[in-house]
Amino acid sequence: EEQLVESGGGLAQPGGSLRLSCEGSGFTFSRFWMAWVRQVPGKGLERVANIKHDGSERYYMDSVKGRFTISRDNAKSSVSLQMNSLRVEDTAVYYCTRASRPIFGVVTQFDFWGQGTLVTVST
Amino acid sequence: QSALTQPASVSGSPGQSITISCTGTSTDVGDYDFVSWYQQHPDNAPKILIFEVNKRPSGVSYRFSGSKSGNTASLTISDLQPADEAVYYCCSYADTIPDVIFGGGTNLTVL
């Protein structure tokens, strides 16, 4: 059974850091693009970042460029999101997703989602 | 880039069919066939229903179908079931950013 399990969410202060991790199982992790998508509670969805299957290309939404870093370790079937300089507006549930159909590096399809991890940025 | 426009809510009775619209512009829905639809039940992760406008992933019921006309994509659910009650999101590639953008979500109630 395909599965994605996130960890690492929690409470952070504005300007602080958090690291999210996601472990995949039940599929050949190294063959797929992976992405993080976030959902502000009660609101919509946003693609945060995605990374090519071999880690050679990474793409970010404009508001997190320079603050967030996506990485992966195919040997461990894992993908991470290092979030620095956190802002109140980064508060959301962050989903790890298996992704596909990239156009100019931006994945356009999210085939499978983890259960999500809540990140709260507040004083 | 604005979100794609979806109705806030739709409703239908069991056995009926409903259609959810997703309106974009000529730089997203109208120009690309990379439109997908997701279903989200309360406190659950989204699940893909449709990709590339009208294709169903393995395991998704035939009752879910997608289409597109001009700048508007649509999701039709036939033979409504109580389990279909959920929030539905559309998604499209948008070349003005570039990025993918999502609709605001449509809350489906099965009466």
Side-chain angles (χ1 to χ4, degrees), chain A residues 17-31:
Chain A
S17 298
L18 280 175
R19 184 177 181 87
L20 307 182
S21 296
C22 169
E23 186 170 332
S25 60
F27 62 99
T28 306
F29 187 86
S30 60
R31 293 180 57 188

Side-chain angles (χ1 to χ4, degrees), chain B residues 14-31:
Chain B
Q16 287 186 331
S17 294
I18 62 96
T19 297
I20 299 172
S21 62
C22 170
T23 302
T25 69
S26 60
T27 60
D28 41 69
V29 174
D31 205 23

Side-chain angles (χ1 to χ4, degrees), chain A residues 28-81:
Chain A
T28 306
F29 187 86
S30 60
R31 293 180 57 188
F32 292 92
W33 287 73
M34 297 296 294
W36 288 93
V37 176
R38 70 186 182 185
Q39 183 171 33
V40 176
K43 294 192 177 179
L45 297 158
E46 297 179 310
R47 181 199 70 92
V48 176
N50 60 256
I51 185 167
K52 196 174 180 180
H53 55 84
D54 60 1
S56 62
E57 299 176 28
R58 312 171 192 205
Y59 299 87
Y60 301 90
M61 67 181 297
D62 284 347
S63 66
V64 307
K65 286 178 182 176
R67 301 189 298 123
F68 290 10
T69 302
I70 188 171
S71 60
R72 66 189 296 161
D73 183 343
N74 285 340
K76 297 181 179 179
S77 297
S78 68
V79 61
S80 298
L81 185 69

Side-chain angles (χ1 to χ4, degrees), chain B residues 31-104:
Chain B
D31 205 23
Y32 296 90
D33 284 341
F34 290 97
V35 176
S36 50
W37 289 89
Y38 302 86
Q39 175 192 59
Q40 186 176 32
H41 287 105
D43 298 322
N44 278 281
K47 170 191 171 185
I48 191 168
L49 295 176
I50 297 289
F51 66 97
E52 292 177 6
V53 176
N54 56 15
K55 299 176 182 176
R56 272 191 313 274
S58 173
V60 173
S61 173
Y62 69 92
R63 298 186 300 105
F64 296 93
S65 62
S67 62
K68 189 182 83 167
S69 178
N71 297 337
T72 298
S74 298
L75 173 71
T76 297
I77 309 174
S78 60
D79 188 22
L80 268 179
Q81 308 286 315
D84 297 333
E85 197 162 277
V87 179
Y88 293 82
Y89 294 94
C90 61
C91 175
S92 173
Y93 178 75
D95 65 11
T96 52
I97 307 175
D99 208 330
V100 285
I101 52 174
F102 289 86

